[in-house]
Amino acid sequence: MTPSHGKYGLRGRAAIVTGATRGIGRAVARALADAGAHVCVSARDPDDVRRTAAELDGVGLAGSVVDPGHAEELTGLCLREFGRLDVLVNNAATNRPYGPLMDADPALWREAFAVNVEAPLRLVQCAWRGWMREHGGTVVNICTEGAAHTGPGVGAYGTSKAALLHLTQQLAGELGPGVRVNSVSPGLVRTEMARFVWEPGERETAAGLPLARIGEPEDVARAVLWLASDAAEWITGADLLVDGGTRVRRARVPP
């Protein structure tokens, strides 16, 4: 991805990205860094965090977003190192428990909401109290195209992401005008987390999409960068679909 300039530039600003060492999170962190932002990354594996932070000339903190105190430590690190916190990207997520809801383990169900809904709220609270209340900023939550409909095996994931979508809109209403809060909802993207979905039938899936391919992490990263930039300064409470036309694929005429 080439460096961004003009309205898409974030030079001098600071950003936090969770789940930032692989897949969509890594691509987002790279895009923000290329646009000039100082980037603070978070993920579970300490080695991956150190490696990613070094590659981006940023800083990082290893740990789970649901660990007690992680949100405070992460925002505190960003503020100490960079003196500000302008962009927060809540990307860390879990798709467990996978399978029918009648078989869902209660502990994993609670974990899904802790990771996918509660952790983003806690991080927004910390960002708000530490910087954004006085100086403004922008939040981008990574949701999913699947939050708008049902599907086999993804009941917990879809339900928790639907809650995150509502949380995004609620926070947008509460935190404006100084803080903009939006979400990006990817369709099927080539990530390790979604490998079990796309790998077995990628060709067939791609053929059914109007844009004839599944997504790449960089597709999502470009959308996040735009929402985080001043080019989207009159947009809040919005959900940006990045799905290759998933919702309109039934209208596609096979070649």
Side-chain angles (χ1 to χ4, degrees):
M1 188 174 295
T2 58
S4 300
H5 304 285
K7 287 186 176 181
Y8 293 89
L10 298 175
R11 187 164 304 281
R13 302 183 194 180
I16 285 176
V17 183
T18 65
T21 59
R22 62 179 187 172
I24 290 172
R26 184 183 181 87
V28 167
R30 178 79 268 172
L32 295 175
D34 285 347
H38 304 295
V39 179
C40 179
V41 300
S42 171
R44 290 175 179 267
D45 186 273
D47 292 335
D48 288 345
V49 168
R50 283 192 293 269
R51 187 179 307 112
T52 302
E55 290 174 357
L56 300 177
D57 196 24
V59 296
L61 178 67
S64 169
V65 290
V66 299
D67 286 346
H70 184 79
E72 291 84 355
E73 291 180 37
L74 186 59
T75 52
L77 173 64
C78 186
L79 290 168
R80 286 195 308 273
E81 293 293 324
F82 304 134
R84 57 191 302 152
L85 172 48
D86 305 279
V87 179
L88 170 61
V89 181
N90 285 306
N91 170 71
T94 179
N95 58 7
R96 300 170 67 198
Y98 184 82
L101 290 184
M102 294 304 96
D103 299 330
D105 179 89
L108 292 178
W109 173 267
R110 289 191 293 271
E111 181 184 2
F113 279 82
V115 173
N116 296 347
V117 187
E118 183 177 349
L121 173 59
R122 300 302 171 219
L123 276 161
V124 173
Q125 289 174 331
C126 290
W128 169 259
R129 294 164 184 162
W131 178 263
M132 292 185 180
R133 174 165 47 193
E134 299 297 327
H135 306 280
T138 183
V139 176
V140 182
N141 295 323
I142 306 301
C143 292
T144 176
E145 182 274 336
H149 55 78
T150 60
V154 293
Y157 182 68
T159 303
S160 62
K161 287 294 191 175
L164 179 60
L165 188 61
H166 184 85
L167 176 66
T168 299
Q169 296 166 348
Q170 181 69 30
L171 289 173
E174 292 189 12
L175 303 186
V179 177
R180 296 186 297 106
V181 187
N182 295 289
S183 59
V184 171
S185 285
L188 185 57
V189 176
R190 194 189 309 276
T191 65
E192 199 62 36
M193 181 175 171
R195 179 178 290 276
F196 73 105
V197 179
W198 60 260
E199 192 171 52
E202 178 181 353
R203 180 177 298 180
E204 293 79 8
T205 300
L209 293 172
L211 297 185
R213 67 173 176 87
I214 66 170
E216 301 292 344
E218 290 75 17
D219 293 315
V220 183
R222 285 188 287 269
V224 173
L225 174 62
W226 178 68
L227 284 173
S229 76
D230 293 343
E233 65 180 2
W234 205 52
I235 298 174
T236 195
D239 181 51
L240 179 56
L241 280 175
V242 183
D243 67 349
T246 298
R247 294 190 183 180
V248 297
R249 61 185 169 190
R250 288 185 176 85
R252 179 170 170 78
V253 178

